[in-house]
């Protein structure tokens, strides 16, 4: 299985801050990466796919980048509704699909 | 927009079989891939497996010996069976649709507790 490691595991930030979350794969995944946001008691919501493509309806303050094994999710200016847990997921050719362990973004 | 809704027992006894159904509304199940994903309380996400509308399946090797996913296109539903459950199978179970290999729409999730 491809292992996905996110850092940090938790993060405190303030409204208006720029925040970056990193996801590292145990092998190259050729941009086959998605990012999700999950709020307490809710299902995850797709934010980006193909490492950098924004899902329809997702605010443009969310962006993604990376290549090979290393990927980042950036929120350019944190809004109150962005405090949540974020997960990366790889969907490279070899199943199973695997997720990172999550990054909890909390209000400072 | 396609909506998904999980249903099934919230409590299952150890060694028994967990059975859940996902009902799809607002669209046809006769396309795309339909997955089950679970999340133990306070933990991360684990993909269980998917079924294509034609009936072809793919399962997570860690669960493959215990998992069966099936589809009923006439009812616009797909189902999960997980046999020989233990407390480690206690989780919120989600159904989801994928057009590619990522999950665009999710059900709200249903908590299944394994306990005697």
């Amino acid at each position: 299985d491809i292992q996905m490691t996110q850092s940090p595991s938790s993060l405190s930030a303030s409204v208006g801050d720029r925040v970056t979350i990193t996801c590292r794969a145990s092998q190259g995944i050729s941009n086959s990466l998605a990012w999700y946001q999950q709020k307490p008691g809710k299902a995850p919501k797709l934010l980006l796919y193909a490492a950098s493509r924004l899902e329809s309806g997702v605010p443009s303050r969310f962006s993604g980048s990376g290549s090979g094994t290393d990927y980042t999710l950036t929120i350019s200016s944190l809004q109150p509704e962005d405090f949540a847990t974020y997960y990366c997921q790889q969907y490279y050719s070899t199943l199973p699909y695997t997720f990172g362990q999550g990054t909890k973004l909390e209000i400072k | 927009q396609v909506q998904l809704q999980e249903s099934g027992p919230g409590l299952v006894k150890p060694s028994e079989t967990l059975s859940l159904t996902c009902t799809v509304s607002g669209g046809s199940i006769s396309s795309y891939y339909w997955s089950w994903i679970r999340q133990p309380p306070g933990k991360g996400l684990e993909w269980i497996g998917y079924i294509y509308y034609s009936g072809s399946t793919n399962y997570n090797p860690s669960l493959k010996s215990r998992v069966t996913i099936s589809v009923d296109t006439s009812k616009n539903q797909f189902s999960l069976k997980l046999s020989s459950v233990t407390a480690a199978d206690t989780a919120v179970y989600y159904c989801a649709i994928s057009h590619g290999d990522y999950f665009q729409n999710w059900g709200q999730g249903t908590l299944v507790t394994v306990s005697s």
Side-chain angles (χ1 to χ4, degrees):
Chain A
D1 297 5
I2 298 175
Q3 306 302 318
M4 306 301 291
T5 303
Q6 288 182 232
S7 60
S9 295
S10 63
L11 174 61
S12 294
S14 301
V15 172
D17 284 353
R18 179 184 180 88
V19 165
T20 297
I21 298 168
T22 296
C23 183
R24 173 166 288 176
S26 59
Q27 65 181 75
I29 57 171
S30 295
N31 288 1
S32 300
L33 186 91
W35 288 98
Y36 301 87
Q37 176 194 67
Q38 186 178 34
K39 296 183 178 179
K42 300 295 186 181
K45 172 188 173 184
L46 177 67
L47 299 176
L48 297 111
Y49 59 96
S52 61
R53 301 187 72 168
L54 205 63
E55 173 71 350
S56 176
V58 174
S60 59
R61 63 180 180 272
F62 291 92
S63 63
S65 64
S67 63
T69 60
D70 296 330
Y71 298 87
T72 59
L73 170 69
T74 298
I75 309 173
S76 61
S77 178
L78 272 175
Q79 299 302 301
E81 60 267 30
D82 299 337
F83 292 94
T85 299
Y86 292 84
Y87 293 94
C88 60
Q89 176 233 332
Q90 67 80 20
Y91 52 93
Y92 192 52
S93 61
T94 303
L95 291 172
Y97 306 126
T98 49
F99 294 85
Q101 82 279 14
T103 295
K104 187 174 184 178
L105 178 53
E106 299 176 302
I107 301 173
K108 185 182 288 184
Chain B
Q1 174 139 346
V2 174
Q3 295 187 313
L4 301 93
Q5 177 68 59
E6 306 88 351
S7 59
L11 181 64
V12 181
K13 290 182 168 56
S15 79
E16 296 189 344
T17 296
L18 177 159
S19 296
L20 295 174
T21 296
C22 182
T23 300
V24 178
S25 59
S28 172
I29 202 168
S30 296
S31 57
Y32 309 124
Y33 291 82
W34 305 91
S35 280
W36 288 96
I37 297 157
R38 70 180 183 177
Q39 184 172 37
K43 296 188 178 180
L45 299 159
E46 180 180 35
W47 174 74
I48 299 170
Y50 70 60
I51 189 164
Y52 192 50
Y53 76 97
S54 62
S56 64
T57 56
N58 222 315
Y59 301 136
N60 191 321
S62 68
L63 297 168
K64 187 173 184 176
S65 64
R66 300 194 290 131
V67 172
T68 302
I69 299 176
S70 59
V71 65
D72 186 338
T73 54
S74 68
K75 294 183 178 179
N76 241 28
Q77 294 177 333
F78 63 108
S79 298
L80 168 70
K81 291 188 185 299
L82 181 66
S83 64
S84 306
V85 296
T86 70
D89 296 308
T90 293
V92 175
Y93 285 76
Y94 295 100
C95 56
I97 178 178
S98 56
H99 297 196
D101 294 298
Y102 45 89
F103 308 105
Q104 277 123 322
N105 286 41
W106 299 59
Q108 66 185 26
T110 187
L111 175 63
V112 179
T113 301
V114 179
S115 175
S116 55

